[in-house]
């Protein structure tokens, strides 16, 4: 039996390729670094969805995505006080679940528009602030920052677009696999995305960057990193933002995000002290992990610099996974369409190790 399906190939895809030995991620023929450096979210969605929907050009898709954000905002009334007491990821998931399954392009855009409109609204309402209505004429990243009430000048918008393009798709990770399993039953797009949403929430997957901030806050100063990290490992804890099932070298998305942080810093954004602390923590963690696990290469993963970047863009740590969803939902949708178009029902087998019936 293969633990955790490690090494098992469960789907054929044209969407993305993760080379764990070389530390390379290709999304529809583009290196992740080039997507992060030059693409806007709408362009990356168009690239990813090509062949899976009857698509307009990028400007047309951006306009329809803007309309989807606006339509979603009208449904904010469904955000009652019970939902607001939940974690943001749970509140946004509950709101997204109100959408019917709809296989059309508008159905797919409604999912992206909902997560984009609800995430900043939930963040603001939890702080006692009024939600800010979307402006459908703006780009997706700019409008998300604007709805959050965060700086939305070109440097901040570029940084968020870089983040969205970096995390939009990543092979058959746990959440994408979950989405494909649901799509393989022909349940529909909303159902598939909600499966992805739920899988992404866990701290071993997309829930890691919030705890990265808690780790940095706990460490406080660069000089305190080795002792703090050593104590955490001694307690049997995992260091959040390190290690990966596929990458045996540095996760290329970490570098794409570090480049985005550097570009933001050049424009006066972010906090240089935070970046120095993060680099000291990264250095100390890699040193410790190499000594503790010499046979298991453990390097920095995407979530470490995700935490730094989303913090610099004014997202609170408890909403980081929602921001990941905002982009990765486009990947789940493409995988769901690919799976439904050609894939067979996913139905592995289990090995029964329980008791046998007692003979009468
Ligand atoms: N800190 C300390 N030890 C670790 C870490 C870590 N971050 N990651 C793995 N290890 C250790 C494990 O304890 C295990 O040790 P053992 O063999 O003595 O029990 C060994 O390395 C192998 O660990 P596995 O769980 O088998 O490795 P797997 O490939 O399944 O795990 C995972 C990958 C879940 C990402 C893991 O590295 C981890 O928990 N990292 C921290 C959480 C994190 O950063 N998650 C985000 C991942 S990126 C993403 O999903 C978007």
């Amino acid at each position: 039996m293969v633990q955790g399906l490690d090494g098992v190939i469960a789907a054929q895809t044209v969407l993305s390729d993760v080379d764990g030995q070389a530390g390379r991620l290709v999304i529809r023929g583009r290196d992740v670094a080039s997507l992060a450096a030059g693409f806007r979210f709408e362009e990356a969605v168009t690239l990813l969805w090509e062949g899976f929907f009857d698509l307009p050009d990028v400007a047309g898709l951006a306009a329809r995505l803007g309309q989807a954000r606006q339509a979603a905002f009208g449904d904010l009334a469904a955000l009652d006080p019970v939902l607001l007491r939940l974690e943001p990821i749970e509140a946004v998931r509950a709101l997204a679940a109100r959408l019917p399954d709809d296989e059309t392009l508008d159905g797919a855009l409604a999912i992206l528009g909902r997560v984009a409109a609800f995430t900043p609204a939930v963040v603001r309402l939890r702080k006692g602030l009024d939600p800010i209505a979307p402006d459908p004429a703006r780009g997706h990243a700019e409008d998300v920052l604007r709805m959050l009430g965060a700086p939305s000048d070109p440097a901040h918008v570029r940084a968020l677009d870089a983040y969205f393009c970096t995390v939009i798709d990543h092979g058959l990770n746990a959440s994408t696999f979950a989405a494909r399993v649901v799509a393989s039953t022909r349940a529909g797009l909303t159902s598939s995305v909600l499966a992805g949403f739920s899988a992404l929430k866990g701290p071993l997957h997309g829930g890691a960057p919030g705890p990265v901030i808690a780790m940095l806050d706990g460490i406080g100063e660069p000089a305190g990193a080795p002792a703090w990290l050593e104590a955490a490992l001694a307690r049997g804890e995992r260091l959040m933002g390190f290690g990966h099932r596929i990458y045996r070298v540095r996760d290329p998305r970490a570098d794409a995000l570090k480049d985005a942080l550097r570009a933001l810093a050049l424009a006066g954004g972010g906090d240089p002290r935070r970046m120095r602390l993060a680099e000291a923590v990264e250095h100390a963690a890699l040193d410790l992990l190499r000594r503790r696990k010499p046979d298991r290469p453990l390097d920095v993963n995407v979530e470490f610099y995700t935490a730094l970047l989303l913090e610099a863009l004014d997202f609170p740590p408890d909403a980081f996974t929602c921001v990941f969803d905002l982009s990765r939902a486009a990947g789940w949708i493409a995988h769901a369409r690919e799976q439904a178009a050609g894939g067979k029902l996913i139905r592995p087998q289990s090995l029964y190790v329980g008791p046998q019936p007692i003979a009468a």
Side-chain angles (χ1 to χ4, degrees):
M1 195 179 63
V2 182
Q3 289 288 348
L5 300 182
D6 197 0
V8 172
I9 294 176
Q12 187 170 309
T13 185
V14 299
L15 293 165
S16 57
D17 181 34
V18 184
D19 182 338
Q21 299 300 329
R24 185 155 183 247
L25 167 60
V26 171
I27 299 174
R28 297 215 93 172
R30 312 260 178 172
D31 266 315
V32 68
S34 72
L35 273 185
F39 275 58
R40 288 185 301 126
F41 178 65
E42 291 87 338
E43 293 169 321
V45 172
T46 305
L47 179 74
L48 204 60
W49 287 4
E50 182 68 49
F52 295 105
F53 293 101
D54 186 11
L55 288 179
D57 62 9
V58 174
L61 183 120
R64 281 166 72 175
L65 188 52
Q67 287 157 11
R69 291 193 302 276
Q70 197 169 40
F73 194 76
D75 289 346
L76 251 191
L79 189 65
D80 62 30
V82 175
L83 289 189
L84 273 178
R85 281 197 291 275
L86 300 175
E87 289 290 305
I89 180 81
E90 292 165 341
V92 173
R93 182 181 59 188
L95 289 173
R98 291 168 59 88
L99 277 178
D101 280 305
D102 174 354
E103 300 308 298
T104 65
L105 177 61
D106 282 330
L109 290 172
I111 296 172
L112 298 189
R114 265 191 173 227
V115 185
F118 289 153
T119 298
V122 166
V123 167
R124 288 180 64 81
L125 284 164
R126 283 165 61 92
K127 288 183 184 163
L129 300 169
D130 286 335
I132 298 172
D135 176 352
R138 308 221 183 213
H140 200 65
E142 180 186 359
D143 208 22
V144 169
L145 289 173
R146 210 186 52 81
M147 287 187 277
L148 188 68
S152 56
D153 56 84
H156 285 80
V157 171
R158 176 89 287 280
L160 186 56
D161 266 323
Y163 173 72
F164 284 159
C165 294
T166 298
V167 303
I168 196 163
D169 198 45
H170 196 242
L172 207 57
N173 58 83
S175 56
T176 301
F177 182 56
R180 281 190 85 124
V181 169
V182 174
S184 84
T185 72
R186 308 285 190 269
L189 277 186
T190 304
S191 301
S192 303
V193 167
L194 288 171
F197 234 99
S198 300
L200 189 74
K201 177 175 181 276
L204 298 192
H205 192 13
V212 167
I213 294 295
M215 174 172 75
L216 293 179
D217 288 344
I219 293 171
E221 291 298 327
W228 193 99
L229 296 168
E230 191 133 29
L233 287 175
R235 289 193 298 272
E237 292 173 14
R238 290 183 177 210
L239 305 182
M240 292 291 134
F242 296 89
H244 199 274
R245 172 64 65 81
I246 307 292
Y247 292 120
R248 288 294 171 263
V249 292
R250 206 176 158 81
D251 182 335
R253 298 169 298 172
D255 287 327
L257 297 182
K258 207 168 171 184
D259 287 347
L261 271 159
R262 287 201 189 103
L264 184 62
L266 284 176
D271 177 354
R273 280 167 311 166
R274 199 66 161 163
M275 191 67 177
R276 278 196 293 278
L277 173 62
E279 283 177 338
V281 171
E282 180 187 345
H283 185 76
L286 294 182
D287 183 49
L288 270 173
L289 289 170
R290 262 175 218 133
R291 282 193 279 121
R292 282 197 158 233
K293 293 239 158 270
D295 302 331
R296 167 82 186 186
L298 293 169
D299 215 315
V300 70
N301 67 45
V302 63
E303 300 295 37
F304 191 72
Y305 285 102
T306 287
L308 272 280
L309 186 63
L310 296 187
E311 182 184 60
L313 295 177
D314 273 4
F315 290 99
D318 64 2
F320 286 175
T321 314
C322 296
V323 189
F324 196 150
D325 278 327
L326 249 149
S327 173
R328 182 57 64 82
W332 296 328
I333 288 167
H335 278 272
R337 296 283 291 186
E338 189 178 51
Q339 181 68 38
K344 202 174 164 172
L345 173 74
I346 297 174
R347 205 302 187 188
Q349 293 190 54
S350 50
L351 177 69
Y352 180 65
V353 294
Q356 294 297 331
I358 299 162

